[in-house]
Amino acid sequence: YRGAKACLFEGGLRIPSIVSMPGTIPEGETRDQMAVGCDWLPTIADFCGAPLPSAKLDGKSLKDVILKNAPSPHESLYWQLGTGKNAQWVVRQGDWKLLGNPKDTSHKGEITKDDKRFLVNLGDDITEMTNVAKDNPEVVERLSAVHDAYEAELGE
């Protein structure tokens, strides 16, 4: 990255991207707002002035984030693995990340029955090893409501 005439976009999920459009995109800057892979279609369309498909998209344009370091266009992010009652899901809002039905595929720590809702504050625990759900019931309740709203929307 050093010396690249581009903007490094870390995207809030620790997966870096490099964006370059000489003369348009600021050089040598970083962004750390929340974003997901599905944001790239609306972003590229926005930069090109191309219309988006009429279908509802989860992604949102990052153009203002890239050009002006604007806040993330996402208040929260949601994703799900699998279907049914035991599907794994995640809600991310700011530094808070709530996992429902988590499974530890890294074998770094044991997931117990008490961890059905696994809450981490990424600002304090980037490794996501400590469940702070019991200490933050209001955050669990708020993010669970976000999950319920996403699930209801997906069911429509």
Side-chain angles (χ1 to χ4, degrees):
Y1 173 70
R2 289 186 193 270
K5 295 186 177 199
C7 173
L8 178 64
F9 192 86
E10 296 178 7
L13 293 176
R14 300 188 310 252
I15 302 172
S17 301
I18 295 177
V19 181
S20 178
M21 185 184 282
T24 302
I25 294 176
E27 298 177 13
E29 295 184 8
T30 61
R31 306 287 186 259
D32 63 359
Q33 292 86 333
M34 286 194 319
V36 293
C38 61
D39 290 333
W40 291 113
L41 173 64
T43 302
I44 292 167
D46 198 3
F47 271 107
C48 295
L52 289 172
S54 59
K56 184 176 186 295
L57 300 175
D58 291 331
K60 297 181 180 184
S61 176
L62 301 172
K63 184 176 180 181
D64 286 343
V65 172
I66 294 167
L67 294 178
K68 304 173 189 172
N69 204 12
S72 171
H74 300 280
E75 182 179 325
S76 60
L77 297 174
Y78 176 82
W79 59 99
Q80 179 175 314
L81 299 170
T83 58
K85 285 185 188 181
N86 293 321
Q88 297 175 72
W89 54 267
V90 178
V91 172
R92 169 87 191 271
Q93 202 171 58
D95 283 342
W96 292 109
K97 183 176 178 181
L98 179 66
L99 295 85
N101 303 315
K103 293 177 179 62
D104 179 21
T105 57
S106 68
H107 307 291
K108 289 182 180 178
E110 183 180 352
I111 301 289
T112 70
K113 63 181 172 77
D114 294 331
D115 295 326
K116 189 145 180 81
R117 295 283 191 274
F118 196 98
L119 180 69
V120 295
N121 183 316
L122 296 171
D124 297 333
D125 181 14
I126 195 71
T127 62
E128 302 180 32
M129 295 298 294
T130 306
N131 186 356
V132 296
K134 287 182 182 175
D135 298 331
N136 298 279
E138 70 290 344
V139 178
V140 171
E141 185 176 325
R142 184 180 78 236
L143 296 184
S144 292
V146 172
H147 162 260
D148 294 344
Y150 272 110
E151 195 171 69
E153 184 180 333
L154 292 172
E156 294 175 359

